[in-house]
């Protein structure tokens, strides 16, 4: 599933190809995504210029002259920049045709992705309005993490993956951040010390930064905007490394199941 780094990598990949370009049309070959692509959308956006390509949580925002496209990659979606006229393949559902001779193609085998358009301030859109802070927001710091962990007995890893408290920390990055912060995934959130909360806030940002620089993590069906797989996988410390030696202390990495997701940790490095 594309997580925050993959979406940010996609944003960076497509940005130079879409900025300042005018939308010729939108070809919707399969409108039945997670939500139906609104009818008449092509007519609404044709002729508008792409002013900005931004991201909020896992939504890509293409800000046009008079409105904003909100694109979500869902479980298996990808956006790629291709030459106009490139034949469509299986699961290629939407093409945004630009005046540059290129198009932005949305492929999504499982169709959990979505495409919305709003002429209002996108931050007030129902899909975005109630999202928690991003790990890179100034609000998200040691204090914030400290506050949200108080009186919460839920496991710290589950808390990190709760998008009502923080967005964009999926399973891979929660495991990796906890390793870097030297905290075991099953620890009760409220048991974190002030110092651990500080280490963890830093670790989350560090892990996501490294992943974005590496172009995301390649897992099954994720492909970056230019079709290249991400290279973060080679930098993982614990994720899917059960039984393999810890990269720091050589102790075998352990795997456990938490809330139907796998967690990985080093029993020596993490307390
Ligand atoms: Zn270790």
């Amino acid at each position: 599933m594309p997580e925050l780094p993959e979406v940010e990598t996609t944003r960076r990949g497509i940005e130079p190809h879409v900025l300042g370009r005018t939308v010729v049309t939108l070809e919707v070959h399969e409108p039945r995504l997670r939500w139906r692509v609104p009818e008449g959308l092509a007519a609404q956006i044709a002729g508008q210029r792409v002013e900005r390509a931004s991201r909020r949580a896992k939504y890509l925002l293409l800000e046009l002259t008079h409105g904003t496209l909100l694109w979500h990659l869902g479980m298996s979606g990808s956006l790629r920049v291709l030459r106009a006229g490139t034949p469509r393949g299986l699961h290629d559902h939407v093409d945004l045709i630009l005046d540059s001779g290129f198009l932005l193609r949305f492929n999504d085998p499982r169709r959990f992705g979505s495409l919305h358009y709003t002429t209002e301030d996108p931050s007030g859109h129902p899909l975005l309005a109630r999202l928690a802070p991003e790990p890179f927001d100034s609000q998200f710091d040691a204090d914030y993490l400290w506050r949200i962990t108080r009186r919460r007995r839920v496991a710290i890893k589950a808390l990190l993956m709760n998008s009502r408290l923080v967005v964009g920390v999926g399973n891979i990055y929660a495991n990796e951040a906890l390793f870097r912060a030297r905290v075991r995934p099953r620890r009760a959130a409220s048991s974190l010390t002030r110092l651990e909360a500080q280490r963890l806030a830093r670790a989350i940002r560090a892990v996501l930064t490294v992943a974005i620089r590496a172009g995301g993590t390649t897992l099954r069906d994720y492909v970056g905007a230019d079709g290249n797989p991400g290279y973060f996988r080679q930098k993982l410390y614990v994720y899917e490394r059960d039984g393999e030696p810890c990269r720091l202390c050589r102790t075998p990495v352990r795997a456990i199941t938490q809330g139907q997701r796998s967690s990985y940790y080093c029993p020596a490095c993490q307390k």
Side-chain angles (χ1 to χ4, degrees):
M1 176 179 344
E3 294 195 18
L4 189 148
E6 286 77 16
V7 180
E8 179 61 22
T9 300
T10 298
R11 188 196 70 74
R12 292 179 186 190
I14 65 171
E15 189 177 38
H17 299 279
V18 299
L19 271 197
R21 292 298 173 183
T22 298
V23 175
V24 175
T25 189
L26 183 80
E27 291 179 356
V28 180
H29 303 284
E30 173 55 270
R32 292 170 302 166
L33 303 181
R34 179 163 186 189
W35 291 284
R36 202 178 175 87
V37 178
E39 263 175 60
L41 185 53
Q44 268 185 293
I45 64 169
Q48 295 196 47
R49 231 169 70 118
V50 182
E51 307 288 352
R52 224 177 134 219
S54 58
R55 180 188 58 74
R56 175 70 175 108
K58 294 202 281 182
Y59 288 91
L60 275 167
L61 277 61
L62 292 184
E63 297 172 35
L64 309 179
T65 319
H66 304 296
T68 306
L69 286 171
L70 273 63
W71 223 316
H72 197 288
L73 303 181
M75 309 280 285
S76 58
S78 63
L79 276 170
R80 294 174 69 183
V81 177
L82 298 165
R83 273 183 197 287
T86 304
R88 280 197 305 125
L90 200 60
H91 311 304
D92 287 338
H93 303 312
V94 179
D95 282 346
L96 182 73
I97 320 266
L98 301 167
D99 67 346
S100 55
F102 286 84
L103 55 82
L104 196 56
R105 177 162 288 169
F106 181 59
N107 178 286
D108 188 2
R110 298 178 66 182
R111 288 196 274 121
F112 275 105
S114 64
L115 180 60
H116 288 82
Y117 177 69
T118 177
T119 52
E120 313 266 307
D121 176 356
S123 66
H125 191 278
L127 291 171
L128 305 185
R130 270 192 276 267
L131 289 175
E134 303 246 346
F136 295 109
D137 282 353
S138 55
Q139 304 168 43
F140 184 87
D141 56 9
D143 281 338
Y144 178 78
L145 199 55
W146 174 251
R147 270 199 322 275
I148 64 172
T149 51
R150 295 311 88 191
R151 293 193 303 279
R152 279 196 168 93
R153 282 206 234 151
V154 62
I156 183 62
K157 180 167 166 255
L159 181 140
L160 293 183
M161 293 178 65
N162 179 345
S163 59
R164 280 170 301 176
L165 298 172
V166 54
V167 300
V169 186
N171 197 34
I172 303 169
Y173 304 108
N175 276 296
E176 292 295 306
L178 286 165
F179 174 80
R180 286 177 182 236
R182 308 201 292 278
V183 173
R184 290 194 187 194
R186 257 199 301 225
R187 281 266 302 278
S190 57
S191 77
L192 260 67
T193 64
R194 177 86 209 184
L195 185 65
E196 286 172 329
Q198 190 173 31
R199 283 206 305 255
L200 189 53
R202 264 193 220 136
I204 291 167
R205 280 195 295 264
V207 157
L208 292 172
T209 302
V210 172
I212 291 166
R213 272 199 210 122
T217 312
T218 304
L219 293 163
R220 284 189 301 272
D221 33 24
Y222 168 72
V223 183
D226 55 1
N228 289 324
Y231 292 99
F232 184 66
R233 213 174 197 348
Q234 299 159 8
K235 299 180 198 279
L236 296 173
Y237 280 97
V238 287
Y239 186 77
E240 288 189 346
R241 294 195 67 246
D242 43 312
E244 293 177 48
C246 168
R247 295 196 202 276
L248 296 188
C249 74
R250 316 300 298 165
T251 304
V253 170
R254 258 183 221 168
I256 52 169
T257 303
Q258 267 185 297
Q260 290 150 357
R261 308 295 298 268
S262 296
S263 296
Y264 305 88
Y265 67 97
C266 170
C269 290
Q270 291 167 262
K271 301 282 176 254

